[in-house]
Amino acid sequence: AQSVTQPDIHITVSEGASLELRCNYSYGATPYLFWYVQSPGQGLQLLLKYFSGDTLVQGIKGFEAEFKRSQSSFNLRKPSVHWSDAAEYFCAVGEGGATNKLIFGTGTLLAVQP
Amino acid sequence: NAGVTQTPKFQVLKTGQSMTLQCAQDMNHNSMYWYRQDPGMGLRLIYYSASEGTTDKGEVPNGYNVSRLNKREFSLRLESAAPSQTSVYFCASMRTGTHEQFFGPGTRLTVL
């Protein structure tokens, strides 16, 4: 069965420090991979996506993610975290096609210390 | 463009009451989705609609019905609300071929 695992429920980093959020997926075919961010009380905003091609993808707000097929991973990174990055981050895998139903991970809540 | 809008933002129901959550998008997207978000469980797909006139079950459809009224609107109905349906509900839409879903701001529902 398709699934997405985000092993870190909660992460705290200092402002200016680097960040890596982990995501592992289980999917039978070539996955469509996404990272979304949710600020408190808000909907989800797409940070970046991977469909094919270059395995390092750039997104908004200075985020990037690397697709590693051998590790079934799609980890999200940022070189220097800002206080405004505090939010919940969701990794998702989609089946593509006309409907692209998404399966979400359970999320990682990021706190940023001053 | 307003994107994806949802009404109401908040709702409190008693067990057994019914209600309809409304969703509309102004991006001319073909596909629309309803998710629920519960603590520690991420988002789970309730129903989706690939195009006007079609709807299909997602991962957790029990206790819900949907209507794709037209290309813009996709409503979610709870016929007899239960406390287990206390959740935050998100509507999303997607233009065919892009694989990007755009989300509304959510409806926070409490069933007492």
Side-chain angles (χ1 to χ4, degrees), chain A:
Chain A
Q2 303 154 7
S3 64
V4 177
T5 301
Q6 293 180 250
D8 303 306
I9 297 172
H10 188 269
I11 285 181
T12 300
V13 299
S14 298
E15 190 167 15
S18 64
L19 172 69
E20 182 169 24
L21 303 182
R22 295 182 292 167
C23 173
N24 292 96
Y25 66 89
S26 173
Y27 193 75
T30 301
Y32 290 74
L33 295 162
F34 306 82
W35 275 99
Y36 283 86
V37 60
Q38 184 181 33
S39 298
Q42 303 296 313
L44 277 72
Q45 181 183 20
L46 180 67
L47 281 176
L48 47 77
K49 61 189 178 186
Y50 172 79
F51 296 161
S52 63
D54 193 347
T55 56
L56 184 64
V57 293
Q58 303 297 320
I60 62 172
K61 305 185 180 186
F63 285 92
E64 66 178 26
E66 186 172 11
F67 170 59
K68 293 185 177 180
R69 185 185 298 275
S70 62
Q71 299 178 18
S72 298
S73 69
F74 188 56
N75 293 349
L76 182 71
R77 301 193 294 247
K78 187 170 185 177
S80 178
V81 170
H82 188 262
W83 63 265
S84 60
D85 293 325
E88 191 157 21
Y89 292 79
F90 293 93
C91 181
V93 61
E95 63 181 26
T99 58
N100 194 39
K101 292 179 287 182
L102 294 179
I103 297 170
F104 284 86
T106 51
T108 297
L109 185 62
L110 175 65
V112 180
Q113 288 182 333

